[in-house]
Coordinates of all heavy atoms in Angstrom, one line a residue:
M1 N 107.0 85.7 93.4 CA 106.6 85.6 92.0 C 105.4 86.5 91.8 O 104.4 86.4 92.5 CB 106.3 84.1 91.7 CG 105.9 84.0 90.2 SD 105.6 82.3 89.8 CE 107.2 81.6 89.8
P2 N 105.4 87.4 90.8 CA 104.3 88.3 90.6 C 103.1 87.8 89.9 O 102.1 88.5 89.6 CB 105.0 89.5 89.8 CG 106.0 88.8 89.1 CD 106.5 87.7 90.0
W3 N 103.2 86.5 89.4 CA 102.1 85.9 88.6 C 101.2 85.0 89.4 O 101.6 84.3 90.3 CB 102.7 85.1 87.5 CG 103.7 86.0 86.7 CD1 105.1 85.9 86.8 CD2 103.4 87.0 85.8 NE1 105.7 86.8 85.9 CE2 104.7 87.5 85.3 CE3 102.3 87.5 85.3 CZ2 104.8 88.5 84.4 CZ3 102.4 88.6 84.3 CH2 103.6 89.0 83.9
V4 N 100.0 85.0 89.0 CA 99.0 84.0 89.6 C 99.3 82.6 89.1 O 99.4 81.7 89.9 CB 97.6 84.4 89.3 CG1 96.6 83.3 89.8 CG2 97.2 85.8 89.8
F5 N 99.6 82.5 87.9 CA 99.9 81.2 87.3 C 101.3 81.3 86.6 O 101.6 82.3 85.9 CB 98.9 80.8 86.2 CG 97.5 80.7 86.7 CD1 96.6 81.6 86.4 CD2 97.2 79.6 87.5 CE1 95.3 81.5 86.8 CE2 95.9 79.5 88.0 CZ 94.9 80.4 87.7
G6 N 102.2 80.4 86.9 CA 103.5 80.5 86.3 C 104.5 79.7 87.1 O 104.2 79.2 88.1
Y7 N 105.7 79.8 86.5 CA 106.9 79.2 87.2 C 108.1 79.9 86.9 O 108.1 80.7 85.9 CB 107.0 77.7 86.9 CG 107.1 77.4 85.4 CD1 108.4 77.2 84.9 CD2 106.0 77.2 84.6 CE1 108.5 76.9 83.5 CE2 106.1 77.0 83.3 CZ 107.4 76.8 82.8 OH 107.5 76.5 81.4
E8 N 109.1 79.7 87.6 CA 110.3 80.6 87.4 C 111.3 80.0 86.4 O 112.3 80.7 86.1 CB 111.1 80.7 88.8 CG 111.5 79.4 89.4 CD 112.0 79.5 90.8 OE1 113.2 80.1 90.9 OE2 111.4 79.2 91.7
W9 N 111.0 78.9 85.8 CA 112.0 78.3 84.9 C 111.8 78.6 83.4 O 112.6 78.2 82.6 CB 112.0 76.8 85.0 CG 112.3 76.4 86.4 CD1 113.5 76.5 87.1 CD2 111.4 75.9 87.4 NE1 113.4 76.1 88.4 CE2 112.0 75.7 88.6 CE3 110.0 75.6 87.3 CZ2 111.4 75.2 89.7 CZ3 109.4 75.1 88.5 CH2 110.1 74.9 89.6
G10 N 110.8 79.3 83.0 CA 110.6 79.6 81.6 C 109.2 80.1 81.2 O 108.5 80.5 82.1
K11 N 109.0 80.0 80.0 CA 107.7 80.6 79.4 C 106.5 79.7 79.7 O 106.6 78.4 79.7 CB 107.9 80.7 77.9 CG 106.7 81.2 77.2 CD 107.0 81.3 75.7 CE 105.7 81.8 75.0 NZ 105.9 81.8 73.5
I12 N 105.4 80.3 80.0 CA 104.2 79.6 80.3 C 103.5 79.3 79.0 O 103.3 80.2 78.2 CB 103.2 80.4 81.2 CG1 103.9 80.7 82.5 CG2 101.9 79.6 81.4 CD1 103.1 81.7 83.3
T13 N 103.2 78.0 78.7 CA 102.5 77.7 77.5 C 101.1 77.2 77.8 O 100.3 77.3 76.9 CB 103.3 76.5 76.7 OG1 103.4 75.4 77.6 CG2 104.6 77.0 76.2
T14 N 100.8 76.9 79.0 CA 99.5 76.5 79.4 C 99.4 76.7 80.9 O 100.4 76.6 81.6 CB 99.1 75.1 79.0 OG1 97.8 74.8 79.5 CG2 100.0 74.1 79.7
F15 N 98.2 77.0 81.4 CA 98.1 77.0 82.9 C 96.9 76.1 83.3 O 96.4 76.3 84.4 CB 97.9 78.5 83.3 CG 96.7 79.2 82.7 CD1 95.5 79.1 83.2 CD2 96.9 80.0 81.6 CE1 94.4 79.8 82.6 CE2 95.9 80.6 81.0 CZ 94.6 80.5 81.5
K16 N 96.6 75.2 82.5 CA 95.5 74.3 82.8 C 95.7 73.5 84.1 O 94.9 73.5 84.9 CB 95.3 73.2 81.6 CG 94.1 72.3 81.8 CD 94.0 71.4 80.6 CE 92.7 70.5 80.9 NZ 92.5 69.7 79.7
T17 N 96.9 73.0 84.3 CA 97.2 72.3 85.5 C 97.2 73.3 86.7 O 96.6 72.9 87.8 CB 98.6 71.6 85.5 OG1 98.6 70.8 84.3 CG2 98.9 70.9 86.7
S18 N 97.8 74.4 86.6 CA 97.8 75.4 87.7 C 96.3 75.9 88.0 O 96.0 76.0 89.2 CB 98.6 76.7 87.3 OG 99.9 76.3 87.1
W19 N 95.5 76.1 86.9 CA 94.1 76.5 87.1 C 93.4 75.4 87.9 O 92.6 75.7 88.8 CB 93.5 76.8 85.8 CG 92.0 77.0 85.9 CD1 91.0 76.1 85.5 CD2 91.3 78.1 86.5 NE1 89.8 76.7 85.8 CE2 89.9 77.9 86.3 CE3 91.8 79.3 87.0 CZ2 89.0 78.8 86.8 CZ3 90.8 80.2 87.5 CH2 89.4 80.0 87.4
T20 N 93.5 74.2 87.5 CA 92.9 73.1 88.1 C 93.3 72.9 89.6 O 92.4 72.8 90.5 CB 93.1 71.7 87.4 OG1 92.7 71.9 86.0 CG2 92.4 70.6 88.0
T21 N 94.6 73.1 89.9 CA 95.1 73.0 91.2 C 94.5 74.1 92.1 O 94.1 73.9 93.2 CB 96.6 73.0 91.2 OG1 97.1 71.9 90.5 CG2 97.2 72.9 92.6
A22 N 94.6 75.4 91.6 CA 94.1 76.5 92.3 C 92.6 76.4 92.6 O 92.1 76.7 93.7 CB 94.3 77.8 91.5
R23 N 91.8 75.9 91.6 CA 90.4 75.8 91.8 C 90.1 74.7 92.9 O 89.3 74.9 93.7 CB 89.8 75.3 90.4 CG 88.3 75.6 90.3 CD 87.8 75.2 88.9 NE 88.4 74.1 88.2 CZ 88.1 72.8 88.5 NH1 87.2 72.6 89.3 NH2 88.7 71.9 87.8
R24 N 90.8 73.6 92.8 CA 90.6 72.5 93.8 C 91.0 73.0 95.2 O 90.3 72.7 96.2 CB 91.4 71.3 93.4 CG 90.8 70.5 92.3 CD 91.5 69.2 92.0 NE 91.0 68.6 90.9 CZ 91.7 67.8 90.1 NH1 93.0 67.6 90.3 NH2 91.1 67.2 89.0
C25 N 92.1 73.7 95.3 CA 92.6 74.2 96.6 C 91.5 75.2 97.2 O 91.4 75.3 98.4 CB 93.9 74.9 96.5 SG 95.3 73.8 96.3
A26 N 90.9 75.9 96.3 CA 89.9 76.9 96.8 C 88.5 76.3 97.0 O 87.6 76.9 97.5 CB 89.8 78.0 95.8
G27 N 88.4 75.0 96.7 CA 87.1 74.3 96.8 C 86.1 74.7 95.8 O 84.9 74.7 96.1
I28 N 86.5 75.2 94.7 CA 85.6 75.7 93.6 C 85.4 74.6 92.6 O 86.4 74.1 92.0 CB 86.1 76.9 92.9 CG1 86.3 78.0 94.0 CG2 85.2 77.4 91.8 CD1 87.0 79.3 93.4
E29 N 84.2 74.2 92.3 CA 83.9 73.2 91.3 C 83.1 73.9 90.2 O 82.5 74.9 90.3 CB 83.0 72.1 91.9 CG 83.7 71.3 93.0 CD 82.8 70.3 93.7 OE1 81.8 69.9 93.0 OE2 83.2 69.8 94.8
D30 N 83.1 73.2 89.0 CA 82.3 73.7 87.9 C 82.5 75.1 87.6 O 81.6 75.9 87.5 CB 80.8 73.4 88.1 CG 80.0 73.5 86.8 OD1 80.6 73.3 85.7 OD2 78.8 73.9 86.9
F31 N 83.8 75.5 87.4 CA 84.2 76.9 87.1 C 85.3 76.9 86.1 O 86.3 76.3 86.3 CB 84.6 77.6 88.4 CG 84.7 79.1 88.2 CD1 83.5 79.9 88.2 CD2 85.9 79.7 88.1 CE1 83.6 81.3 88.0 CE2 86.0 81.1 88.0 CZ 84.9 81.9 87.9
R32 N 85.0 77.5 84.9 CA 86.0 77.5 83.9 C 86.8 78.8 83.8 O 86.3 79.8 84.3 CB 85.3 77.3 82.5 CG 84.5 76.1 82.4 CD 83.5 76.1 81.3 NE 82.7 77.2 81.4 CZ 82.1 77.9 80.4 NH1 82.4 77.6 79.2 NH2 81.4 79.0 80.6
I33 N 87.9 78.9 83.3 CA 88.7 80.1 83.1 C 87.9 81.1 82.3 O 88.0 82.3 82.6 CB 90.1 79.8 82.5 CG1 91.0 81.0 82.7 CG2 90.0 79.4 81.1 CD1 91.5 81.3 84.1
H34 N 87.1 80.6 81.4 CA 86.3 81.5 80.6 C 85.3 82.3 81.4 O 84.9 83.4 81.1 CB 85.6 80.7 79.5 CG 84.7 81.6 78.6 ND1 85.2 82.4 77.6 CD2 83.4 81.8 78.6 CE1 84.2 83.0 77.0 NE2 83.1 82.7 77.6
D35 N 84.9 81.7 82.5 CA 83.9 82.4 83.4 C 84.5 83.7 84.0 O 83.8 84.6 84.2 CB 83.5 81.4 84.6 CG 82.8 80.2 84.1 OD1 82.1 80.3 83.1 OD2 82.9 79.2 84.7
L36 N 85.8 83.7 84.2 CA 86.5 84.9 84.7 C 86.4 86.0 83.6 O 86.2 87.2 83.9 CB 88.0 84.7 85.0 CG 88.2 83.8 86.2 CD1 89.7 83.5 86.4 CD2 87.6 84.4 87.5
R37 N 86.6 85.6 82.3 CA 86.5 86.5 81.2 C 85.1 87.1 81.1 O 84.9 88.3 80.9 CB 86.9 85.8 79.9 CG 86.9 86.5 78.7 CD 87.4 85.6 77.6 NE 87.1 86.2 76.3 CZ 87.9 87.0 75.6 NH1 89.1 87.4 76.1 NH2 87.6 87.4 74.4
H38 N 84.1 86.2 81.3 CA 82.7 86.7 81.2 C 82.4 87.7 82.4 O 81.8 88.7 82.2 CB 81.8 85.5 81.3 CG 80.4 85.8 81.2 ND1 79.7 86.1 80.1 CD2 79.4 85.9 82.2 CE1 78.5 86.4 80.3 NE2 78.2 86.3 81.6
T39 N 82.9 87.4 83.6 CA 82.8 88.3 84.7 C 83.4 89.6 84.5 O 82.8 90.7 84.7 CB 83.3 87.6 86.0 OG1 82.6 86.4 86.2 CG2 83.2 88.5 87.2
F40 N 84.6 89.6 83.9 CA 85.3 90.8 83.6 C 84.5 91.7 82.7 O 84.3 92.9 83.0 CB 86.7 90.4 82.9 CG 87.4 91.6 82.3 CD1 88.2 92.4 83.1 CD2 87.4 91.7 80.9 CE1 88.9 93.5 82.5 CE2 88.1 92.8 80.3 CZ 88.9 93.6 81.1
A41 N 84.0 91.1 81.6 CA 83.2 91.9 80.7 C 81.8 92.4 81.3 O 81.4 93.5 81.1 CB 82.9 91.1 79.5
S42 N 81.2 91.5 82.1 CA 79.9 91.8 82.7 C 80.1 93.0 83.7 O 79.3 94.0 83.7 CB 79.4 90.6 83.5 OG 79.1 89.6 82.6
W43 N 81.1 93.0 84.5 CA 81.4 94.0 85.5 C 81.6 95.4 84.8 O 81.2 96.4 85.2 CB 82.5 93.7 86.4 CG 82.1 92.6 87.4 CD1 80.9 92.1 87.6 CD2 83.0 92.1 88.4 NE1 80.9 91.2 88.7 CE2 82.2 91.2 89.2 CE3 84.3 92.3 88.7 CZ2 82.7 90.4 90.2 CZ3 84.8 91.5 89.8 CH2 84.1 90.6 90.5
L44 N 82.4 95.3 83.7 CA 82.7 96.6 83.0 C 81.4 97.2 82.4 O 81.2 98.4 82.6 CB 83.6 96.3 81.8 CG 85.1 96.1 82.2 CD1 85.9 95.7 80.9 CD2 85.7 97.4 82.7
V45 N 80.6 96.4 81.8 CA 79.3 96.8 81.2 C 78.4 97.4 82.3 O 77.8 98.4 82.2 CB 78.6 95.7 80.4 CG1 77.2 96.1 80.0 CG2 79.5 95.4 79.2
M46 N 78.3 96.7 83.4 CA 77.4 97.1 84.5 C 77.9 98.4 85.2 O 77.1 99.2 85.7 CB 77.3 96.0 85.6 CG 76.5 94.9 85.1 SD 76.1 93.6 86.4 CE 77.7 92.9 86.7
Q47 N 79.2 98.7 85.0 CA 79.8 100.0 85.5 C 79.6 101.1 84.5 O 80.1 102.2 84.7 CB 81.2 99.8 85.9 CG 81.4 99.0 87.2 CD 80.7 99.6 88.4 OE1 80.9 100.8 88.6 NE2 79.9 98.8 89.1
G48 N 79.0 100.8 83.3 CA 78.8 101.8 82.3 C 79.8 102.0 81.2 O 79.8 102.9 80.5
E49 N 80.7 101.0 81.2 CA 81.8 101.1 80.2 C 81.2 100.9 78.8 O 80.2 100.1 78.6 CB 82.9 100.1 80.4 CG 84.1 100.3 79.6 CD 84.7 101.7 79.6 OE1 85.2 102.1 80.7 OE2 84.5 102.4 78.6
S50 N 81.7 101.5 77.8 CA 81.2 101.4 76.4 C 81.4 100.0 75.9 O 82.4 99.3 76.2 CB 82.0 102.3 75.5 OG 81.9 101.9 74.2
I51 N 80.4 99.5 75.2 CA 80.5 98.1 74.7 C 81.7 98.0 73.7 O 82.3 97.0 73.5 CB 79.1 97.7 74.0 CG1 79.0 96.2 73.9 CG2 78.9 98.3 72.7 CD1 78.6 95.5 75.2
Y52 N 82.0 99.1 73.1 CA 83.2 99.2 72.1 C 84.5 99.0 72.9 O 85.4 98.4 72.4 CB 83.1 100.4 71.3 CG 81.9 100.5 70.4 CD1 80.8 101.3 70.8 CD2 81.7 99.7 69.3 CE1 79.6 101.3 70.1 CE2 80.6 99.7 68.6 CZ 79.5 100.5 68.9 OH 78.4 100.5 68.2
V53 N 84.6 99.6 74.1 CA 85.8 99.5 74.9 C 85.9 98.0 75.3 O 87.0 97.4 75.3 CB 85.8 100.4 76.1 CG1 86.9 100.1 77.0 CG2 85.9 101.9 75.6
V54 N 84.8 97.4 75.8 CA 84.8 96.1 76.2 C 85.2 95.1 75.1 O 86.0 94.2 75.2 CB 83.4 95.7 76.8 CG1 83.4 94.2 77.2 CG2 83.1 96.5 78.0
K55 N 84.7 95.4 73.9 CA 85.1 94.7 72.7 C 86.6 94.6 72.5 O 87.2 93.6 72.3 CB 84.4 95.3 71.4 CG 84.9 94.7 70.1 CD 84.6 95.6 69.0 CE 85.3 95.3 67.7 NZ 86.7 95.5 67.7
E56 N 87.2 95.8 72.6 CA 88.7 95.9 72.4 C 89.4 95.2 73.5 O 90.4 94.5 73.3 CB 89.1 97.4 72.4 CG 88.6 98.1 71.2 CD 89.2 97.5 69.9 OE1 90.4 97.2 69.8 OE2 88.4 97.4 68.9
L57 N 89.0 95.3 74.8 CA 89.6 94.6 75.9 C 89.5 93.1 75.8 O 90.5 92.4 76.1 CB 89.1 95.1 77.2 CG 89.4 96.5 77.6 CD1 88.6 97.0 78.8 CD2 90.9 96.7 77.8
L58 N 88.4 92.6 75.3 CA 88.2 91.2 75.1 C 88.9 90.6 73.8 O 89.1 89.4 73.7 CB 86.7 90.8 75.1 CG 86.0 91.0 76.4 CD1 84.5 90.7 76.2 CD2 86.6 90.2 77.5
G59 N 89.2 91.6 72.9 CA 89.9 91.1 71.7 C 88.9 90.5 70.7 O 89.3 89.8 69.8
H60 N 87.6 90.9 70.8 CA 86.6 90.4 69.9 C 86.8 91.0 68.5 O 87.2 92.2 68.4 CB 85.2 90.7 70.3 CG 84.8 89.9 71.5 ND1 83.7 90.2 72.3 CD2 85.2 88.7 72.0 CE1 83.5 89.3 73.2 NE2 84.4 88.4 73.0
A61 N 86.6 90.3 67.4 CA 86.8 90.8 66.1 C 85.6 91.7 65.7 O 85.8 92.6 64.9 CB 86.8 89.6 65.1
S62 N 84.5 91.5 66.3 CA 83.3 92.2 66.0 C 82.5 92.6 67.2 O 82.5 91.8 68.2 CB 82.4 91.4 65.1 OG 81.1 91.9 65.0
V63 N 81.9 93.7 67.2 CA 81.1 94.2 68.4 C 79.9 93.2 68.6 O 79.3 93.1 69.7 CB 80.6 95.6 68.3 CG1 79.5 95.8 67.3 CG2 80.2 96.2 69.6
T64 N 79.5 92.5 67.5 CA 78.4 91.5 67.6 C 78.7 90.5 68.7 O 77.8 90.1 69.4 CB 78.2 90.9 66.3 OG1 77.9 91.9 65.3 CG2 77.0 89.9 66.3
Q65 N 80.0 90.1 68.8 CA 80.4 89.1 69.8 C 80.2 89.7 71.2 O 79.9 89.0 72.1 CB 81.8 88.7 69.6 CG 82.1 87.9 68.3 CD 83.6 87.7 68.2 OE1 84.3 88.6 67.7 NE2 84.0 86.5 68.6
T66 N 80.4 91.0 71.3 CA 80.4 91.6 72.6 C 79.0 92.0 73.1 O 78.7 92.1 74.3 CB 81.3 92.9 72.6 OG1 82.5 92.6 71.9 CG2 81.6 93.4 74.0
E67 N 78.1 92.1 72.1 CA 76.7 92.5 72.4 C 76.0 91.6 73.4 O 75.0 92.0 74.0 CB 75.9 92.7 71.1 CG 76.3 93.9 70.4 CD 75.6 94.1 69.1 OE1 75.0 93.1 68.6 OE2 75.6 95.2 68.5
I68 N 76.5 90.4 73.6 CA 75.8 89.5 74.6 C 75.8 90.1 76.0 O 75.0 89.8 76.8 CB 76.6 88.1 74.6 CG1 75.8 87.1 75.5 CG2 78.0 88.3 75.2 CD1 76.4 85.7 75.4
Y69 N 76.7 91.1 76.3 CA 76.8 91.7 77.6 C 75.9 93.0 77.7 O 75.7 93.5 78.7 CB 78.2 92.1 77.9 CG 79.1 90.9 77.9 CD1 80.0 90.7 76.8 CD2 79.1 90.0 78.9 CE1 80.8 89.5 76.7 CE2 79.9 88.8 78.9 CZ 80.8 88.7 77.8 OH 81.6 87.5 77.7
A70 N 75.4 93.4 76.5 CA 74.6 94.7 76.5 C 73.4 94.7 77.4 O 73.1 95.8 78.0 CB 74.2 95.0 75.1
H71 N 72.8 93.6 77.6 CA 71.6 93.5 78.4 C 71.8 93.8 79.9 O 70.9 94.1 80.7 CB 70.9 92.1 78.3 CG 71.7 91.1 79.0 ND1 72.8 90.5 78.5 CD2 71.5 90.5 80.3 CE1 73.3 89.6 79.4 NE2 72.5 89.6 80.4
L72 N 73.1 93.8 80.3 CA 73.5 94.1 81.6 C 73.5 95.6 82.0 O 73.7 96.0 83.1 CB 74.9 93.5 81.9 CG 74.9 92.0 81.8 CD1 76.4 91.5 81.9 CD2 74.1 91.3 82.9
A73 N 73.3 96.4 81.0 CA 73.3 97.9 81.2 C 72.0 98.6 80.7 O 72.1 99.5 79.9 CB 74.5 98.5 80.6
P74 N 70.8 98.1 81.1 CA 69.6 98.8 80.6 C 69.5 100.2 81.0 O 68.9 101.0 80.3 CB 68.5 98.0 81.2 CG 69.1 97.4 82.5 CD 70.6 97.1 82.1
S75 N 70.2 100.6 82.0 CA 70.1 102.1 82.4 C 70.8 103.0 81.4 O 70.4 104.1 81.3 CB 70.8 102.3 83.8 OG 72.2 101.9 83.7
Q76 N 71.7 102.4 80.7 CA 72.4 103.3 79.6 C 71.4 103.7 78.6 O 71.5 104.8 78.1 CB 73.6 102.5 79.0 CG 74.8 102.4 79.9 CD 75.9 101.7 79.2 OE1 75.8 100.9 78.3 NE2 77.1 102.2 79.6
T77 N 70.5 102.9 78.2 CA 69.5 103.3 77.2 C 68.6 104.3 77.7 O 68.2 105.3 77.1 CB 68.7 102.1 76.6 OG1 68.2 101.4 77.7 CG2 69.6 101.2 75.8
R78 N 68.2 104.2 79.0 CA 67.3 105.2 79.6 C 68.0 106.5 79.7 O 67.5 107.5 79.5 CB 66.9 104.7 81.0 CG 65.8 103.6 81.0 CD 65.2 103.3 82.4 NE 66.2 102.9 83.3 CZ 66.5 101.6 83.5 NH1 65.9 100.6 82.8 NH2 67.4 101.2 84.4
E79 N 69.3 106.5 80.2 CA 70.1 107.7 80.3 C 70.3 108.4 78.9 O 70.2 109.6 78.9 CB 71.4 107.4 80.9 CG 71.3 107.0 82.4 CD 72.6 106.4 82.9 OE1 73.6 106.4 82.2 OE2 72.6 105.9 84.1
A80 N 70.4 107.6 77.9 CA 70.6 108.2 76.6 C 69.3 108.9 76.1 O 69.4 110.0 75.6 CB 70.9 107.1 75.5
V81 N 68.2 108.3 76.4 CA 66.9 109.0 76.1 C 66.7 110.2 76.9 O 66.3 111.3 76.4 CB 65.7 108.0 76.3 CG1 64.4 108.7 76.1 CG2 65.8 106.8 75.2
Q82 N 67.1 110.2 78.2 CA 67.0 111.3 79.1 C 67.8 112.5 78.6 O 67.4 113.6 78.6 CB 67.3 111.0 80.5 CG 66.3 110.1 81.2 CD 64.9 110.8 81.2 OE1 64.8 112.0 81.5 NE2 63.9 110.0 80.9
R83 N 69.0 112.2 78.1 CA 69.9 113.2 77.6 C 69.3 113.8 76.3 O 69.4 115.1 76.2 CB 71.3 112.6 77.2 CG 72.2 112.3 78.4 CD 73.6 112.1 78.0 NE 73.8 110.9 77.2 CZ 73.9 109.7 77.6 NH1 73.9 109.4 78.9 NH2 74.1 108.7 76.7
L84 N 68.7 113.0 75.5 CA 68.0 113.6 74.3 C 66.9 114.4 74.7 O 66.7 115.5 74.1 CB 67.6 112.4 73.4 CG 66.9 112.8 72.1 CD1 67.8 113.6 71.2 CD2 66.4 111.6 71.4
L85 N 66.1 114.0 75.7 CA 64.9 114.8 76.1 C 65.3 116.1 76.8 O 64.5 117.1 76.7 CB 64.0 113.9 77.0 CG 63.3 112.7 76.4 CD1 62.6 111.9 77.4 CD2 62.4 113.2 75.2
S86 N 66.4 116.1 77.4 CA 66.9 117.4 78.1 C 67.6 118.3 77.2 O 68.0 119.4 77.6 CB 67.7 117.0 79.3 OG 68.9 116.4 78.9
F87 N 67.8 118.0 75.9 CA 68.5 118.8 74.9 C 67.8 120.0 74.6 O 66.8 120.4 74.5 CB 68.8 117.9 73.7 CG 69.6 118.6 72.7 CD1 70.9 119.1 72.9 CD2 69.0 118.9 71.4 CE1 71.6 119.8 71.9 CE2 69.7 119.5 70.4 CZ 71.0 120.0 70.7

């Protein structure tokens, strides 16, 4: 089966039970599925991805929602100023 969560008999409507089972089997406590989404966004921003691209990937309606991750890329602001100074 190519899916992390799922079954072969039909459409997945929830993966709460599968998530709980996988988390318990891995010995992971106090970890929500939303934490994976947060990690995904954080890693993208830390790698220099545009906050606007991250917004689209997360499906946020507004970039304001995505700006919570902006603090993870302080080097981008320094690099922007350096580009301006070298102009």
Side-chain angles (χ1 to χ4, degrees):
M1 180 179 289
W3 307 103
V4 174
F5 301 108
Y7 58 95
E8 58 185 290
W9 303 289
K11 182 179 176 184
I12 301 170
T13 56
T14 181
F15 56 88
K16 185 176 181 179
T17 303
S18 297
W19 171 253
T20 301
T21 301
R23 201 176 37 80
R24 284 185 185 149
C25 287
I28 300 171
E29 296 179 20
D30 192 30
F31 192 76
R32 305 164 300 148
I33 194 70
H34 180 78
D35 297 329
L36 293 176
R37 183 177 164 88
H38 182 77
T39 300
F40 170 77
S42 298
W43 285 358
L44 283 172
V45 170
M46 288 187 292
Q47 290 297 312
E49 191 54 69
S50 160
I51 202 79
Y52 298 101
V53 170
V54 176
K55 172 199 167 289
E56 292 299 316
L57 291 170
L58 292 178
H60 287 162
S62 163
V63 75
T64 304
Q65 294 174 278
T66 316
E67 286 177 342
I68 190 171
Y69 304 102
H71 73 280
L72 298 171
S75 64
Q76 285 186 328
T77 53
R78 285 191 297 270
E79 291 167 7
V81 170
Q82 288 303 317
R83 284 193 300 272
L84 181 61
L85 293 174
S86 65
F87 180 66

